[in-house]
Amino acid sequence: MHELLEELLRHARGIWRFRWVALAIMWGICLVGWALVMRMPDQYQATARVHIDTQSVLQPLLRGLAISTDSRRSVELMTRTLLSRPNLEKLARMTDLDITATTPSAKESLLDSLGRGVRINKVDRGENLYSISYQSEDRELARRIVQSIITIWVESALGEGRTGTQMAQRFLDEQIRDYEQRLTLAEQRLADFKRQNVGLMPGSGKDYYARLQSALSDLDQAKLALQEMQNRRSAQQRQVAEFQEREDSSMNLFPGSGAGFPSAIETRIQNIQSQLDEMLLKFTENHPDVIETRRLIRSLEKQREEELKLQAEMSSGSSSNPMLQQMKMMLGETDSQIASMHVRVEEYQRRVDELKNLVDTVPQVEAELQRLNRDYDVNRRNFNELLQRREAASISESADVRGDGSKFRVVDPPRVPLSPSGPDRLLFMTLVMFGSLGVGVGAAFLLSLVRPTFDDTKAMKDITGLPVLGVISMVRTDEYLNKHRMAVVAFTSAWLLLLVAFGGVATIEVMDLDLIATVTSKMGLG
């Protein structure tokens, strides 16, 4: 530590030997630097504040009806892209700066200068409050540039929103026309296919195999019902035969006549005829149900003729038993039901045979029908979805046109104070002062290294490596002391004079600023 201190003191003495050189350099740098600082042109800064309101009253009401966009993200994106090259070119045209740029290089330099000079900062993170500033030597130019930036921002926000909505609507209109043509073609193909395969279409949502299974089930049920009815007729025939035998054996005659016995077959024929009339209103003569009903009517008419013959035979004898007549009537009714069931079984069998014969055709028809229906459903669903989207886009455009989107409000219009905002000459003068001091001290230090001297025996011994045999002391005479004192006084005076000069130029700068501030306050423009 002691050696380091001695080294510092030795360098300090070396710098002190060239103090006049350092002082002269300081004076030269300060005079030139202060002159350049004083000649620096005044800079005027124009500022404005803009508030962007992204809250919309209609957004909660239009939720689900209109297309909602993230207004905050849109504002942030516009802020970042506001100083793009097209906008800077537009800014140069609006402020007539493009007239001054006659060459491509000058134009590039102008656009770069505008991009670096314009400052857009967010004042508060919680609110969309932005500050726009620009600094220039021309007060009016700075104000016009800030005003033009605000104009470009508002036009960009409104133009981009409406342009995006219009482009979306044009795209939706094109897609709707395309899908409308597709839907028309799909409907035409489906109608032609149904017309060509009218007898092979699946019914009630059942495919071929479900229809075949249903027909087989109906056939089995009809056969089972026919078997039950045949068993009932056999039982009734045995009862009639047994009763007839008992009547013949006992020779008991019961009074009565079947002349007034009601005919159930006649009633049934009338009911079935009514049903046939209703069917003919809906179906043609070739419909399976119509054919089956006509067969049933013909069968019942034959049974009615047999019944009339039986009644005539019963009425011719006076010894007919009413109970026997009733049993025979029940037997005749059973026979008519059996005939009807025969017709039904034959019809079900015919349907099953037809379906079995179409085992290779119907599945293909059903598969093709499903494909056509699927294509039609897809086109119809997309068409309806596009219609809904177009309506939503139209509502969104109406909301934007009525000003429901981001609202721009100029909180503080562009303002340029009368007093210049820069440059900070006092700061620059101070920097020149301290810079000259550093340069002067550095120059003295370099000279002490170039032209070294020995201040003590120890330094001489350390540097040369030779022993010091003796030292001759310096005798300071009165004349020397007087010259030394005069030199110290002159150096101190020159140094103090430099400080006084610095104070003078600083005072002039401060008084100039105070004068401008006073004039501004009196004019009411502070």
Side-chain angles (χ1 to χ4, degrees):
M1 185 67 184
H2 182 70
E3 294 178 355
L4 178 61
L5 182 59
E6 288 182 353
E7 185 72 18
L8 292 176
L9 290 175
R10 185 170 62 84
H11 287 304
R13 288 191 294 268
I15 293 172
W16 177 254
R17 283 193 306 113
F18 299 97
R19 60 188 178 275
W20 286 104
V21 175
L23 185 59
I25 292 174
M26 290 179 62
W27 267 99
I29 293 176
C30 286
L31 292 178
V32 174
W34 290 341
L36 293 177
V37 170
M38 295 299 291
R39 289 177 60 86
M40 293 175 64
D42 293 336
Q43 298 289 329
Y44 296 91
Q45 184 174 6
T47 59
R49 288 194 303 169
V50 178
H51 179 259
I52 304 175
D53 187 8
T54 58
Q55 300 295 327
S56 174
V57 179
L58 292 179
Q59 283 184 355
L61 302 177
L62 298 179
R63 187 176 292 114
L65 295 176
I67 301 173
S68 60
T69 57
D70 192 347
S71 301
R72 292 183 180 272
R73 291 182 62 86
S74 300
V75 170
E76 293 179 0
L77 182 61
M78 284 188 295
T79 305
R80 295 176 182 177
T81 58
L82 183 60
L83 298 180
S84 61
R85 184 176 180 85
N87 288 339
L88 290 177
E89 293 177 351
K90 185 176 182 181
L91 177 62
R93 291 192 298 270
M94 293 175 66
T95 55
D96 297 332
L97 291 176
D98 58 336
I99 301 176
T100 61
T102 58
T103 62
S105 60
K107 183 177 180 181
E108 291 294 332
S109 177
L110 173 63
L111 296 180
D112 293 339
S113 176
L114 288 175
R116 291 191 303 267
V118 177
R119 293 288 182 268
I120 301 175
N121 299 316
K122 195 170 186 179
V123 178
D124 190 357
R125 292 186 178 181
E127 299 293 336
N128 290 327
L129 185 62
Y130 292 88
S131 172
I132 305 174
S133 62
Y134 183 79
Q135 194 173 29
S136 174
E137 301 175 9
D138 189 347
R139 293 181 65 255
E140 182 61 24
L141 177 62
R143 189 196 65 80
R144 285 191 290 116
I145 287 178
V146 173
Q147 181 63 50
S148 300
I149 285 291
I150 296 176
T151 303
I152 292 174
W153 198 349
V154 174
E155 291 178 354
S156 299
L158 297 178
E160 288 179 2
R162 294 179 182 177
T163 301
T165 305
Q166 292 174 359
M167 291 179 62
Q169 283 193 340
R170 285 197 297 268
F171 175 76
L172 290 175
D173 290 337
E174 293 175 358
Q175 293 297 315
I176 287 174
R177 287 193 295 269
D178 184 20
Y179 271 95
E180 187 175 8
Q181 295 177 358
R182 295 184 185 181
L183 188 61
T184 302
L185 293 176
E187 290 176 346
Q188 186 63 37
R189 287 195 299 267
L190 186 60
D192 294 341
F193 183 81
K194 289 182 177 179
R195 185 166 52 252
Q196 294 173 2
N197 302 275
V198 65
L200 304 176
M201 294 290 102
S204 303
K206 296 181 180 180
D207 58 2
Y208 168 75
Y209 297 100
R211 293 165 58 192
L212 179 59
Q213 185 64 32
S214 177
L216 291 173
S217 178
D218 293 340
L219 179 60
D220 293 338
Q221 292 179 2
K223 288 181 177 180
L224 179 61
L226 177 60
Q227 185 66 34
E228 292 176 352
M229 194 58 64
Q230 289 176 348
N231 294 335
R232 179 186 298 179
R233 183 181 62 179
S234 300
Q236 291 176 351
Q237 288 176 350
R238 288 195 300 271
Q239 291 177 359
V240 170
E242 293 176 356
F243 190 84
Q244 187 68 40
E245 290 178 357
R246 286 198 300 271
E247 187 181 56
D248 293 340
S249 61
S250 58
M251 299 299 293
N252 293 327
L253 299 176
F254 296 92
S257 175
F261 196 84
S263 176
I265 295 179
E266 186 69 22
T267 304
R268 184 175 177 83
I269 290 174
Q270 294 176 359
N271 294 333
I272 295 175
Q273 185 64 42
S274 300
Q275 296 177 3
L276 178 61
D277 294 338
E278 294 178 358
M279 289 181 184
L280 290 176
L281 295 176
K282 300 178 181 180
F283 308 111
T284 62
E285 292 289 339
N286 296 326
H287 195 273
D289 294 337
V290 174
I291 296 173
E292 181 183 357
T293 304
R294 289 192 179 278
R295 291 179 181 177
L296 180 59
I297 291 175
R298 289 195 295 269
S299 176
L300 292 176
E301 288 176 351
K302 292 180 180 180
Q303 294 180 14
R304 184 181 60 182
E305 294 176 358
E306 295 177 355
E307 181 182 358
L308 292 176
K309 292 179 180 180
L310 181 61
Q311 288 181 356
E313 292 177 356
M314 293 175 63
S315 61
S316 60
S318 59
S319 61
S320 298
N321 192 334
M323 185 175 294
L324 180 60
Q325 294 179 5
Q326 182 67 28
M327 294 175 66
K328 289 182 178 181
M329 290 294 295
M330 293 176 61
L331 180 60
E333 180 68 22
T334 302
D335 289 336
S336 65
Q337 293 180 2
I338 289 175
S340 175
M341 290 182 179
H342 272 296
V343 175
R344 183 172 299 178
V345 169
E346 291 176 358
E347 178 60 26
Y348 286 152
Q349 185 65 47
R350 184 186 62 80
R351 294 181 183 180
V352 170
D353 294 338
E354 288 181 356
L355 290 174
K356 287 182 178 181
N357 293 331
L358 298 174
V359 66
D360 294 330
T361 304
V362 173
Q364 295 179 359
V365 171
E366 292 179 348
E368 182 66 18
L369 180 63
Q370 290 180 358
R371 187 185 67 80
L372 293 175
N373 285 329
R374 182 173 59 251
D375 294 342
Y376 172 75
D377 292 338
V378 170
N379 290 323
R380 180 171 56 85
R381 183 172 62 252
N382 292 338
F383 180 75
N384 293 333
E385 184 69 20
L386 288 172
L387 288 177
Q388 295 177 0
R389 295 293 178 87
R390 185 177 65 178
E391 292 299 322
S394 177
I395 295 175
S396 300
E397 183 181 12
S398 300
D400 291 338
V401 169
R402 296 188 180 185
D404 187 64
S406 300
K407 302 179 182 65
F408 288 80
R409 185 167 64 91
V410 180
V411 179
D412 292 329
R415 185 181 69 88
V416 186
L418 293 178
S419 58
S421 59
D424 193 350
R425 294 187 177 89
L426 185 60
L427 175 62
F428 288 150
M429 290 177 181
T430 305
L431 293 177
V432 169
M433 180 68 181
F434 284 101
S436 65
L437 177 61
V439 173
V441 172
F445 178 71
L446 291 177
L447 289 175
S448 67
L449 295 179
V450 174
R451 301 173 60 185
T453 57
F454 300 104
D455 297 320
D456 54 11
T457 57
K458 186 177 182 302
M460 184 176 181
K461 181 181 179 181
D462 293 338
I463 293 174
T464 61
L466 298 175
V468 179
L469 299 178
V471 177
I472 299 174
S473 300
M474 181 178 180
V475 179
R476 293 177 175 85
T477 63
D478 294 337
E479 183 181 0
Y480 171 79
L481 292 175
N482 290 333
K483 290 182 179 180
H484 180 69
R485 292 191 191 98
M486 291 299 294
V488 172
V489 171
F491 179 80
T492 304
S493 299
W495 174 254
L496 291 177
L497 184 61
L498 180 62
L499 294 178
V500 171
F502 171 71
V505 295
T507 303
I508 293 174
E509 177 64 23
V510 171
M511 290 179 63
D512 191 13
L513 293 177
D514 291 341
L515 179 61
I516 294 176
T518 302
V519 174
T520 303
S521 62
K522 288 182 179 181
M523 295 179 63
L525 300 174

